[in-house]
Amino acid sequence: MSRIHQGTALVTGASSGIGALYADRLARRGYDLILVARNRERLNALAGRVTRETQRVVEVIVADLNDRTGLREVEQTLRQDASITLLVNNAGVGTHTPLLESNVDDMERLIDLNVTALTRLTYAAVPGFVARARGAIINISSVVGIAPETLNGVYGASKAYVTALTQSLHHELADTGVRVQAVLPGATATDFWATGGLPVEHLPSEIVMRADDLVDAALVGFDRGELITIPPLHALDLWERYESARQAMRPQLSTNVPAARYGVTA
Ligand code: NAP
């Protein structure tokens, strides 16, 4: 099933859920893999199965991306291994709890993983990709980045960051040969929900997508060169109108006079 060799994909949060499915699908597409997460047993089991089924080379890095040492090790790999052509920034945690029921130390850890680690890994990967004029980054964001009222606000805000960073990278890296994509899943059937304190079985089944379907659709979006991929959104025109309103605002967002509605202009 493997096709032409595509280089190596480094996938964070590859021990379960969406990341494990990316690993499987990318190996079948001809990528060698570097799988990153904390759970050694699950990573090794996945690496063994994928190697058997695809004959691709699969390496495992057991690292806690909330820990500076673990994060630095993955950054070093991204800087030094010129075979890496794809970074999938997937590791992330979330919760549904409101501010008054949330512990700020947990929120800081969430930001460290969803924002800081993703940013550091991106900064480690991009210079080599640009120098080689080849590479791609897939950032797993979330629909709550554009609907932060839905779950925990820090989680929503962390994913708004991921989407905004991806949009900025797309702009900065135009004409470098480096591609970026932000994937915005809605509710997806993975351990994410139980880890965050709300098992997925508690959600109405009509709003929950199978993780296989999510990843397969997201990869179709990647193949089509999409910058923003929202597999659960059927009415694409809603996103297109939202995005074109944002683009229309851009040239008007910085002026030397407050808008007339504030009544302060001399
Ligand atoms: P998941 O099954 O819980 O996977 C999360 C992955 O992140 C696991 O492999 C976990 O592995 C890894 N991880 C967690 N903390 C880590 C740490 N400190 N260091 C390294 N790895 C860590 O959930 P998922 O749904 O596949 O989540 C993947 C991404 O999708 C996340 O960014 C999430 O925000 C996003 N997303 C999910 C949904 C959804 O409904 N499921 C919706 C929108 C977006 P270890 O425990 O082995 O470290």
Side-chain angles (χ1 to χ4, degrees):
M1 173 106 179
S2 50
R3 304 179 194 167
I4 301 157
H5 189 225
Q6 303 274 12
T8 301
L10 187 147
V11 183
T12 69
S15 63
S16 66
I18 292 168
L21 284 156
Y22 264 102
D24 176 88
R25 301 305 195 261
L26 292 171
R28 290 175 199 284
R29 284 171 166 236
Y31 286 90
D32 290 333
L33 299 175
I34 301 174
L35 307 178
V36 179
R38 293 167 302 181
N39 189 316
R40 181 186 302 274
E41 234 170 78
R42 289 173 94 164
L43 287 176
N44 283 340
L46 176 65
R49 179 179 66 74
V50 168
T51 307
R52 269 193 313 281
E53 292 178 3
T54 68
Q55 284 77 54
R56 303 262 48 120
V57 177
V58 184
E59 189 189 319
V60 158
I61 301 180
V62 178
D64 181 347
L65 297 176
N66 271 131
D67 170 73
R68 282 267 141 162
T69 311
L71 182 53
R72 291 296 188 277
E73 186 190 345
V74 184
E75 288 177 53
Q76 278 292 88
T77 302
L78 285 164
R79 278 197 205 94
Q80 290 172 354
D81 185 343
S83 78
I84 297 174
T85 54
L86 176 62
L87 166 63
V88 184
N89 270 318
N90 163 76
V93 289
T95 181
H96 64 288
T97 54
L99 183 149
L100 292 177
E101 292 164 26
S102 304
N103 176 312
V104 72
D105 293 327
D106 292 341
M107 297 296 103
E108 188 178 359
R109 274 189 290 277
L110 184 158
I111 294 167
D112 283 348
L113 181 63
N114 295 9
V115 173
T116 308
L118 176 140
T119 305
R120 293 199 65 99
L121 297 181
T122 299
Y123 268 68
V126 165
F129 286 175
V130 170
R132 297 187 288 275
R134 185 183 181 202
I137 299 181
I138 298 175
N139 285 332
I140 306 302
S141 182
S142 167
V143 294
V144 300
I146 49 175
E149 302 88 348
T150 312
L151 298 173
N152 171 278
V154 176
Y155 177 61
S158 77
K159 293 303 188 177
Y161 174 93
V162 173
T163 302
L165 181 70
T166 311
Q167 287 167 318
S168 160
L169 285 171
H170 174 71
H171 174 73
E172 281 193 30
L173 298 176
D175 308 321
T176 62
V178 181
R179 281 200 46 207
V180 293
Q181 178 198 26
V183 176
L184 280 58
T188 308
T190 69
D191 295 347
F192 170 89
W193 291 92
T195 306
L198 177 67
V200 73
E201 296 74 27
H202 293 220
L203 302 180
S205 61
E206 64 273 18
I207 69 157
V208 181
M209 190 175 288
R210 289 176 56 234
D212 301 72
D213 292 341
L214 180 275
V215 172
D216 289 335
L219 282 168
V220 171
F222 182 74
D223 293 340
R224 290 182 182 161
E226 287 183 355
L227 165 59
I228 304 290
T229 296
I230 316 177
L233 182 68
H234 289 242
L236 180 64
D237 64 304
L238 292 177
W239 168 261
E240 288 170 345
R241 275 156 45 204
Y242 177 82
E243 179 59 10
S244 72
R246 192 178 74 80
Q247 292 296 352
M249 260 191 297
R250 273 184 64 199
Q252 301 182 44
L253 286 172
S254 192
T255 60
N256 58 359
V257 181
R261 64 184 172 280
Y262 299 110
V264 295
T265 310

